[in-house]
């Protein structure tokens, strides 16, 4: 019985050490993630990166129809933009990719070809 208790004590000690080291590595990983996020925010401020959602890229008639359909289903007014040889329909102005992706998920329910586009001001 004495040997059993000793082994059980060693196992408990080993398990406690493992859990402690695991919790420390998670804490360190969280610090690293937060540090990277802060660096990314600073980079975006310095480079003035914005994101828009592109609903369509193609001919003018379809672009205008897409714009009208969007206004009936969502708030906001999409912008039509001509870049030879095609028309583009953009909506929104987001300062992080995460914000743009969240909106994109909702928009994709109605506009399956929508994508996030990155711009520099």
């Amino acid at each position: 019985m004495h040997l059993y208790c000793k082994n059980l004590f060693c196992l408990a000690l080993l398990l406690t050490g493992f859990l402690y080291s695991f919790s420390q590595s998670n804490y360190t990983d969280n610090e690293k993630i937060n540090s990277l996020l802060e660096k990314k925010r600073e980079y975006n401020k310095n480079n003035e990166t914005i994101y828009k959602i592109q609903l369509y890229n193609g001919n003018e008639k379809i672009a205008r129809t897409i714009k009208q359909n969007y206004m009936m289903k969502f708030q906001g007014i999409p912008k039509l933009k001509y870049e030879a040889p095609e028309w583009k329909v953009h909506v929104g102005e987001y300062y992080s990719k995460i914000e743009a992706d969240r909106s994109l998920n909702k928009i994709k329910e109605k506009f399956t070809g929508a994508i996030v586009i990155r711009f520099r001001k």
Side-chain angles (χ1 to χ4, degrees), residues 50-53 93-107 116-117:
I50 61 165
Y51 300 88
K52 294 182 180 188
I53 296 173
E93 190 167 293
Y94 306 93
Y95 294 95
S96 76
K97 179 93 164 57
I98 292 172
E99 287 176 296
D101 286 339
R102 284 184 186 141
S103 291
L104 179 66
N105 287 336
K106 294 174 189 169
I107 290 170
V116 173
I117 303 289

Side-chain angles (χ1 to χ4, degrees), residues 52-65:
K52 294 182 180 188
I53 296 173
Q54 182 171 290
L55 301 175
Y56 177 75
N57 179 41
N59 79 36
E60 181 181 7
K61 185 176 181 180
I62 295 173
R64 292 187 185 280
T65 302

